[in-house]
Amino acid sequence: MVEPEERPSVAGQRLGAPESMGISTLEPGQRPPTMTPGRQVSIRVQMLDDTQEVFEVSQRASGKVLFDLVCAHLNLIEGDYFSLEYQDQRKMTVWLDLLKPILKQIRRPKNTILRFVVKFFPPDHTQLLEELTRYLFALQIKHDLACGRLTCNESSAALLVSHIVQSEIGDFDEVQCKQHLLNNKYIPEQDALMDKIIEYDRKHVGQTPAESDYQLLEIARRLEMYGVRLYPAKDREGTKLSLAVAHSGVLVFQGHTKINAFNWSKVRKLSFKRKRFLIKLRPDLNQSSCQDTLEFMMGSRDCCKVFWKICVEYHAFFRLFEEPKPKPKPVLFTRGSSFRFSGRTQRQVIDYVKDTEFKKVPFERSPQHSESPSAGQVMVNGQKPSLNLGQSPDGRQPSPLTSPLLTDAGFIRTDDEDEVRRKRFPTDKAYFIAKELLTTERTYLKDMEVITVSFQKSVEKDEAMPDSLRNLIFAHFEPVYKFHETFLKDVEQRLAQWEGRSNAHIKGDYQRIGDVMLKNIQGLKLLTAHLQKHSEALLELERMCRSSRKLEGLCRDFELQKVCYLPLNIFFLRPLHRLMHYKQILERLCKHYPPTHDDFRDSRAALADVSEMVVQLHGTLIKMENFQKLLELKKDLIGIDNLALPGREFIRLGCLSKLSGKGLQQRMFFLFNDVLMYTSRGMTASNQFKVHGQLPLYGMTIRESEDEWGVPHSFTLFGQRQSVVVAASSASEMEKWVEDIKMAIELADKCNGPSAEILSSSFTDSKSPEESSADQESDDDLSASRTSLERQTPHRGNTTVHVCWHRNTSVSMVDFSVALENQLSGNLLRKFKNSNGWQKLWVVFTNFSLFFYKTHQDEYPLASLPLLGYSITIPSESENIHKDYVFKLHFKSHVYYFRSESEYTFARWMEVIRSATCSSSHIRSLSRKEPHVY
C-alpha cells in the first residue's frame, strides 16, 4: 500500500523544518486554514477576556485546524505559548490534542466550551516579542489571581491589582478607582486591601496599558506559583503533595509551598505505570548514596497520563531546539505511549518572529469597560457579517483581542509595508545606540550585584571583615546600585515604547533616549561622593587582606565562585568604567543626530554632564586601574613579595624566548616603569609563575641582535649588572616590546635610579648569554619551586597571563584599559565550524574575553572564550554562511561564527573585539592620561 505523499506545512517552510502537524499560527495576510470538505460542526471557544466565539469546522477536522482559526481571528503570531483546554466526560480538564480529530476527543461539542488559555509560561516575559502576546499573558495572570490559583502575599497582590486597574481605567482618580474596585473583583480578599491598592495606583500616573502589562508580568514571574497548575499526588509514605511542571523541570508542592524541584538536567526519564508517576534521576557523583527513582501516587491512571503528557511537552518546548521527529511505527506490537510534542519549540518561535520578514499589523487596544461582554453574545469564526466592523450587538466596543483589520472574509488588510516595518522594527541608528545602553546596563547591574549581593552575603556572617571595612564598601556601593536599578527600569520602559510595545510610538514622543540619560546623569552626579569612596574601599580591602590571613582566604574563596567571573577587584572599578561607557554612547548619539533633532539638545547636555564627571574622576580611575592590575599580577607571581610598590606602573606582559646555553626557552616577561621581570611557569596545580630575574631599567640599553645571534626577531637588553638576549614570536610583537621597553627606560632614567629594593631582589648574576651556567635556574629553580608551591592555594588557571603564555603573545596596560572600558553585551547567534544550527546566547565582552550566558538574567556564565591571539574577519563565500551581519573568530583550527541583529550592532562587535585582538603600545597610554574635555 502506497502512503500519500506528505506536503510540508507553511510553518515548516518558514522555519526550514520538516512538516509539523503541531501549532503553526498564521502570518498576517495569509488565509485561514482550508476547511476539510464535509459536514460542519460549531465549536464554542471562550477567550481570555471571557468573550465567547463560535468557529465552524468540518466534522473530520483536527484540533490544529480549530486552533489555527482561533489564532487567525486574534491575529496572533506567537500562538505556540497557548492552547485549548476543556472538561472531558470524566470531568477532568485536559488539553485539546492538535493531531487528533476534534470529534474523537469531544463527544458532545454543542455542550462543551473550550477555553483559550496560556499553556507554556516562559521564565522571562521579555522573551515574548509581541505586545498582543504580553497582553494575553496579562489577562491570564488576571484570571489566575481572581480564581486563587496565583497566590502571593498581600503587598504583591495589591501591587498586581493596581497595575490591572491602571491598564483598564487609566491615570489615577480616587473616586473612579474606588468605584471600579467595588464593581470588579480581582482577588478574593480585595476589600481588605482596597487602601493599599489605591496607594499603589496613585504612583502609576502616566503609565500606558502596555507598560502596566509589562510591570504586571514582571511582578508575577517572580512569584512561586507563577504559571503553576497543581496535580494532586502522594509520596510513598502517603503524604499529600502536589506535582507541577515548569520551564525548569518538575516541581513538588505541599499546599502552596514548593518543597522540591527536579531540574531537567537532573532528570533521566519520566514515566508512569498505572497510578504511579516515576521520575528517574541521573546519578549524583557528589553523593555516594542517593535515590535514583522517585515514585508518586496519583488519583488514577488517567491523571498520571495527563500530567506525564504536559511534562513531555514542557520539556520539549523549553529545552529542545526543534520539534522532535516522530518515532517509526512498529509493524506488529506497540509498547508504551506514542505521544510526542508537536509544534514549534520556544527557540523556533523566537527565531521565526525575529528573523522572518512578515507584514505585522500593530496591536491596537479597544477602549476597555468594567463589564465583560455577555457570554451569550458570540461571533462565528471571529465575525458577525450583519454588524459593522468593530461593533458588537449592543453597540459596545468588541473584545480588544479582535484584530481591527480582519475583514469579513477572514483576510487581513495591511498598511504600507515600509510604514509598518518602521513602526514595528525601528531602523534608526539612535534606536540601536539606545539598545546598546540597555544591554550594557543590564550587565553592569549584574556586575554590581557581585559586590552588593554575592560578596556581601559571603562576608556578612564572618568576623574576618571588620565592621569599618564592611561599612566602607557596602554603604557606598548600595546607593549607586539602587540608583542604577531605577535607571535600568527607565531605559527598559523607553525601549519598550520605542519598539512599539505600546501605542506611544504612534505619537513619536518616545523615539529618543537623550532625555532619559540627561535626567539620570544629573541624578548620578549627586552620587559622586560615593563613587570617589570606591577607590578608598579597594585600597582598604587590600590593606586589611595583607594583615589578615583569614580575610585574604575569604576573598580568595569568593573569587573561586562562579558568580565572580572576573578578579574581585575589577568589580570595584565598574562604576568608574560605566561613566566612560555613558560618555562613549552619548558621543555616538551626538555625532549621529543633526543639531535640529529633538533629542540633540538633551543628548549634548547629558554628554557635557558626564564628561565633567569623567574629568573629575579620571585621575582616580588611571591610578586604580594600575593598582588593580598590580594586585592581579601579584596573585599570578611567586618569588616576589613587594610587587605593588608606590609609584610602580605596569606597562606590558607577554611571552618572549630567552636565549641561554640550552637554546631558546619560553619565558613570561613583565615590564614595569622601573624593572623588567622574567618568569617561568610552575609545574603545579596553582599554575603560578616563578620570578627568576629582575632587570632594573635605570641605565639599560637595547639593541636589535638578529644578525648577531642568528635568531629571528631577537634583541639584547644590556643592564648595569646583566645582559639578556630575547626573541619575540613575530616582527610586530618585537616592535611592540622594543617600543615599550625604550619608553620605560626613558621614564626610569628621569628618576633617581633604581631603588634599593629592586637592586636587592635582582638576584641573577651578570654572566653573558652564551654561558650555560647563567640559566641554570631554568631547571634547578623549577624543580625547587615544585616543592615550595605544593602548599599554595587553588588559583585561577585562565587569567590573562596564562592565556598569553599558551598563545605566545603579549598585552599592554593600554589594552587592559581599553578592554575594560569597551565593554559590550547583547544577544548573538553562535555557530560552530561543523555545526548546522545557530544557538542564541547572551554574550558579554570584557577583559579580553567573551562570556556566554543563556539569558541576561543568569547569575554566572556558562563558558568563556579568551580572545587574545584570535583573528576577527568576515566569512568568505566558500564557507556558505548565507546570513547578514556575521563575523568569524578563528585561532589555528578553532573557528566560531557569530551573527548580530543589525548593521550597527555588527559594527560595534567588530570594533570592540578588534580592540582585544589587536594589541597596542605604551605610546597610547600618554593620551589616556589627558582626558578629552567636552
Side-chain angles (χ1 to χ4, degrees), residues 122 444 546 577:
Y444 169 64
R546 287 201 305 268
H577 289 142

Side-chain angles (χ1 to χ4, degrees), residues 649-695:
E649 293 183 17
F650 165 71
I651 297 176
R652 178 175 289 276
L653 65 85
C655 273
L656 291 171
S657 296
K658 182 172 175 287
L659 185 64
S660 70
K662 295 184 179 182
L664 290 172
Q665 294 180 314
Q666 184 178 357
R667 293 289 180 262
M668 198 72 182
F669 280 73
F670 298 85
L671 176 63
F672 302 92
N673 64 335
D674 59 346
V675 66
L676 176 65
M677 300 179 186
Y678 60 92
T679 68
S680 60
R681 192 177 186 219
M683 303 296 291
T684 66
S686 65
N687 291 315
Q688 289 167 292
F689 289 80
K690 179 174 176 59
V691 176
H692 292 301
Q694 299 188 54
L695 308 176

Side-chain angles (χ1 to χ4, degrees), residues 478-489:
E478 286 184 345
V480 178
Y481 172 72
K482 291 184 182 299
F483 169 83
H484 283 280
E485 272 191 317
T486 305
F487 184 20
L488 177 60
K489 290 179 181 176

Side-chain angles (χ1 to χ4, degrees), residues 888-900:
K888 171 186 174 183
L889 285 172
H890 52 100
F891 172 74
K892 295 183 177 178
S893 61
H894 303 282
V895 177
Y896 304 92
Y897 301 98
F898 293 91
R899 182 181 170 198
S900 54

Side-chain angles (χ1 to χ4, degrees), residues 480-663:
V480 178
Y481 172 72
K482 291 184 182 299
F483 169 83
H484 283 280
E485 272 191 317
T486 305
F487 184 20
L488 177 60
K489 290 179 181 176
D490 289 348
V491 177
E492 285 178 334
Q493 287 192 4
R494 176 55 56 87
L495 264 292
Q497 295 163 337
W498 202 334
E499 290 170 353
R501 286 186 260 156
S502 74
N503 288 336
H505 68 283
I506 297 174
K507 304 173 187 176
D509 293 337
Y510 298 107
Q511 292 185 345
R512 62 175 187 261
I513 196 66
D515 57 330
V516 175
M517 291 207 69
L518 177 60
K519 182 187 78 170
N520 285 281
I521 294 295
Q522 290 173 344
L524 189 58
K525 288 179 71 175
L526 303 177
L527 300 175
T528 303
H530 291 294
L531 296 174
Q532 291 171 330
K533 286 288 185 179
H534 292 173
S535 58
E536 183 181 334
L538 178 57
L539 291 168
E540 185 64 14
L541 177 62
E542 170 59 18
R543 188 183 71 81
M544 296 297 292
C545 284
R546 287 201 305 268
S547 61
S548 170
R549 284 273 185 90
K550 191 174 181 182
L551 179 59
E552 183 184 20
L554 188 69
C555 294
R556 184 175 59 244
D557 291 343
F558 178 74
E559 280 198 323
L560 295 176
Q561 295 182 20
K562 291 181 179 180
V563 70
C564 191
Y565 68 102
L566 297 172
L568 174 61
N569 45 38
I570 285 184
F571 294 103
F572 280 78
L573 304 182
R574 277 296 190 241
L576 297 182
H577 289 142
R578 192 58 181 153
L579 293 177
M580 303 291 289
H581 301 161
Y582 292 150
K583 183 171 179 286
Q584 294 167 1
I585 287 171
L586 285 164
E587 284 172 344
R588 285 196 295 273
L589 207 57
C590 289
K591 186 177 179 181
H592 167 67
Y593 283 141
T596 56
H597 195 280
D598 293 341
D599 202 27
F600 179 75
R601 180 179 295 180
D602 287 340
S603 300
R604 185 174 60 178
L607 177 58
D609 285 343
V610 77
S611 298
E612 181 184 338
M613 294 181 70
V614 168
V615 170
Q616 185 178 355
L617 297 168
H618 191 267
T620 301
L621 176 60
I622 294 296
K623 291 177 182 177
M624 296 316 299
E625 281 184 341
N626 181 70
F627 180 63
Q628 180 274 323
K629 183 49 60 181
L630 292 176
L631 295 182
E632 186 180 338
L633 294 178
K634 181 182 173 183
K635 297 173 185 176
D636 282 312
L637 299 176
I638 58 171
I640 182 168
D641 296 324
N642 54 354
L643 186 67
L645 289 175
R648 174 169 284 171
E649 293 183 17
F650 165 71
I651 297 176
R652 178 175 289 276
L653 65 85
C655 273
L656 291 171
S657 296
K658 182 172 175 287
L659 185 64
S660 70
K662 295 184 179 182

Side-chain angles (χ1 to χ4, degrees), residues 590-812:
C590 289
K591 186 177 179 181
H592 167 67
Y593 283 141
T596 56
H597 195 280
D598 293 341
D599 202 27
F600 179 75
R601 180 179 295 180
D602 287 340
S603 300
R604 185 174 60 178
L607 177 58
D609 285 343
V610 77
S611 298
E612 181 184 338
M613 294 181 70
V614 168
V615 170
Q616 185 178 355
L617 297 168
H618 191 267
T620 301
L621 176 60
I622 294 296
K623 291 177 182 177
M624 296 316 299
E625 281 184 341
N626 181 70
F627 180 63
Q628 180 274 323
K629 183 49 60 181
L630 292 176
L631 295 182
E632 186 180 338
L633 294 178
K634 181 182 173 183
K635 297 173 185 176
D636 282 312
L637 299 176
I638 58 171
I640 182 168
D641 296 324
N642 54 354
L643 186 67
L645 289 175
R648 174 169 284 171
E649 293 183 17
F650 165 71
I651 297 176
R652 178 175 289 276
L653 65 85
C655 273
L656 291 171
S657 296
K658 182 172 175 287
L659 185 64
S660 70
K662 295 184 179 182
L664 290 172
Q665 294 180 314
Q666 184 178 357
R667 293 289 180 262
M668 198 72 182
F669 280 73
F670 298 85
L671 176 63
F672 302 92
N673 64 335
D674 59 346
V675 66
L676 176 65
M677 300 179 186
Y678 60 92
T679 68
S680 60
R681 192 177 186 219
M683 303 296 291
T684 66
S686 65
N687 291 315
Q688 289 167 292
F689 289 80
K690 179 174 176 59
V691 176
H692 292 301
Q694 299 188 54
L695 308 176
L697 297 180
Y698 180 75
M700 179 183 283
T701 58
I702 184 171
R703 184 183 71 199
E704 295 187 19
S705 50
E706 184 172 336
D707 296 336
E708 181 179 354
W709 297 102
V711 178
H713 320 307
S714 63
F715 53 95
T716 305
L717 302 170
F718 298 94
Q720 291 184 343
R721 300 180 58 189
Q722 181 183 4
S723 297
V724 176
V725 178
V726 295
S729 59
S730 64
S732 60
E733 276 291 300
M734 174 183 168
E735 182 182 351
K736 284 181 275 194
W737 273 108
V738 170
E739 186 178 354
D740 282 353
I741 291 174
K742 286 181 178 178
M743 173 66 67
I745 291 173
E746 290 180 14
L747 293 174
D749 289 343
K750 291 178 182 177
C751 302
N752 297 324
S755 66
E757 293 179 1
I758 298 176
L759 290 175
S760 63
S761 60
S762 301
F763 47 81
T764 38
D765 57 29
S766 57
K767 294 182 180 178
S768 62
E770 62 269 23
E771 295 182 54
S772 61
S773 59
D775 265 288
Q776 199 65 41
E777 48 84 10
S778 63
D779 292 321
D780 296 344
D781 283 356
L782 271 179
S783 60
S785 71
R786 292 189 186 104
T787 57
S788 64
L789 286 177
E790 284 174 359
R791 295 183 297 275
Q792 293 290 329
T793 54
H795 184 70
R796 289 177 179 269
N798 61 343
T799 65
T800 308
V801 177
H802 290 84
V803 175
C804 288
W805 173 265
H806 288 294
R807 297 183 181 169
N808 199 17
T809 186
S810 69
V811 65
S812 70

